[in-house]
Amino acid sequence: MTVKATSSSRIFTFEARLALVALGAVVFAAPSFAEVVVGTATVLDGDTLEVMGKRVRLSGIDAPELDQTCDRNGSRWGCGQAAKAQLSSMVSGKQVRCRGEERDVYTRLIAVCTVGYLELNKALVEDGWAVVYGDNRGAYLA
């Protein structure tokens, strides 16, 4: 007995192939999972921490560089060192939790970090120690 292929069997084959391609696309395009780092932190500068041996860059903000100076009432002051000191006071002796999904060109985890309910990124902007940076979409704007 000979089985003759019909147009409906060819459509099924095409649909089956299309479904497999779509399934493969979903599997390979699955979202990446966030990396979470928890522990005590060492502050490297006004927007960079080291937690559990991993360097973490606070996402969405930019603090003065460590050696940067700023003008205040006509006088120069070490705003970079002051921003580092402020972040240090926020994390000193406390458990820091950082969650991020990307890394920068220096392989630092780009993350939002918290101490308890305090979001460090947001607090630094609100207190004037950092400015909103990148495509943060206004999350820290007052």
Side-chain angles (χ1 to χ4, degrees), residues 5-125:
T6 64
S7 62
S8 65
S9 66
R10 279 182 265 162
I11 290 173
F12 175 76
T13 303
F14 173 74
E15 289 172 346
R17 287 181 185 165
L18 186 60
L20 286 173
V21 169
L23 179 62
V26 168
V27 169
F28 289 109
S32 63
F33 293 97
E35 182 176 348
V36 177
V37 182
V38 179
T40 56
T42 301
V43 176
L44 303 178
D45 63 28
D47 53 25
T48 308
L49 304 168
E50 188 169 301
V51 182
M52 299 299 294
K54 296 185 180 186
R55 290 196 176 198
V56 179
R57 169 75 161 78
L58 299 179
S59 69
I61 70 167
D62 190 29
E65 297 302 318
L66 197 54
D67 61 352
Q68 185 174 337
T69 58
C70 299
D71 287 319
R72 182 188 307 157
N73 300 325
S75 297
R76 306 289 288 166
W77 65 288
C79 57
Q81 288 290 334
K84 176 183 177 183
Q86 176 64 23
L87 183 54
S88 293
S89 73
M90 297 165 79
V91 303
S92 180
K94 299 174 182 140
Q95 191 86 325
V96 178
R97 181 181 190 276
C98 299
R99 181 181 188 279
E101 296 180 4
E102 298 177 18
R103 293 195 173 271
D104 67 8
V105 295
Y106 305 107
T107 69
R108 298 176 295 186
L109 178 64
I110 307 299
V112 173
C113 297
T114 56
V115 170
Y117 293 105
L118 177 68
E119 184 182 313
L120 300 173
N121 311 47
K122 183 176 183 179
L124 289 167
V125 170

